[in-house]
Amino acid sequence: MDAAQQEATARARELQRNWYGEPLGALFRRLIDDLGLNQARLAGVLGLSAPMLSQLMSGQRAKIGNPAVVQRVQLLQDLAGQVADGSVSAAEATERMDEIKKSQGGSVLSNTTQSTTSSGGAPTVKRVVREIQSLLRSVAAAGDIIEAADTLALTHPELAEFLRVYGAGRTSDAVAHYQSHQS
């Protein structure tokens, strides 16, 4: 790889970090490991071609152009967390991945209510935050959201903070923000 290609790849990974919170190579490798997938299966669940997935992972391509695919990535991240905390078995995860693959970017999948709600039946804070993040990220890329937040910062600092935290921040930061504003 020549210097120009290395620079382009580094730029693409930096854009990915801004848009998705981390380079897609790291995010996709974690999903592959956490959910016991290979690249071809991950590409299939996401609705991407294997070459497109490879280009996104390697930094040859920066952005996921389809908002439904971005939402499927979010849903897989949620699922990986549920597998990690033991609330979803490997067999259930396989079933859910089939549902995610069929989803058109909708926010509700059948049979997911039980594991995404608290004992009182209300959605968990993390689930609510993920829904807000998914909605914002389906409308605009994180870099665009940050630019909008910068534009609003002087006149509407609270709204700017909301956009930054939910549109481009980490889920843990958004959960903390959400909890601090409930009362």
Side-chain angles (χ1 to χ4, degrees):
M1 187 182 309
D2 67 22
Q5 289 172 315
Q6 286 178 333
E7 187 175 319
T9 297
R11 175 77 179 130
R13 288 188 176 135
E14 186 57 34
L15 287 170
Q16 289 175 349
R17 187 175 283 107
N18 290 335
W19 293 333
Y20 308 110
E22 66 184 308
L24 290 174
L27 189 155
F28 290 154
R29 277 188 287 283
R30 195 172 55 256
L31 288 175
I32 286 167
D33 291 343
D34 291 352
L35 296 171
L37 304 172
N38 59 34
Q39 283 189 21
R41 172 85 167 122
L42 178 61
V45 172
L46 292 175
L48 294 171
S49 68
M52 175 65 77
L53 179 73
S54 178
Q55 290 172 358
L56 289 164
M57 289 181 74
S58 68
Q60 293 174 326
R61 186 177 292 265
K63 187 176 183 183
I64 300 171
N66 184 336
V69 173
V70 174
Q71 182 135 28
R72 287 186 203 112
V73 170
Q74 292 265 321
L75 292 168
L76 284 178
Q77 288 178 296
D78 288 344
L79 181 59
Q82 292 167 352
V83 169
D85 71 18
S87 63
V88 172
S89 70
E92 290 171 318
T94 300
E95 195 175 297
R96 299 260 179 91
M97 282 186 274
D98 290 338
E99 292 174 13
I100 290 169
K101 179 179 181 176
K102 294 173 190 167
S103 75
Q104 298 301 309
S107 61
V108 178
L109 297 176
S110 60
N111 301 323
T112 59
T113 309
Q114 185 176 10
S115 64
T116 60
T117 58
S118 64
S119 58
T124 62
V125 170
K126 186 172 183 179
R127 181 66 182 180
V128 170
V129 165
R130 285 282 197 185
E131 292 294 331
I132 294 167
Q133 288 176 317
S134 292
L135 179 60
L136 279 170
R137 292 171 184 178
S138 72
V139 172
D144 294 334
I145 293 170
I146 290 171
E147 189 177 316
D150 290 347
T151 301
L152 291 171
L154 289 176
T155 56
H156 303 287
E158 296 85 4
L159 187 54
E161 177 188 16
F162 175 86
L163 287 174
R164 281 191 193 97
V165 171
Y166 292 89
R170 300 196 178 285
T171 300
S172 58
D173 295 335
V175 166
H177 182 273
Y178 183 94
Q179 290 172 327
S180 73
H181 288 80
Q182 294 299 302
S183 50

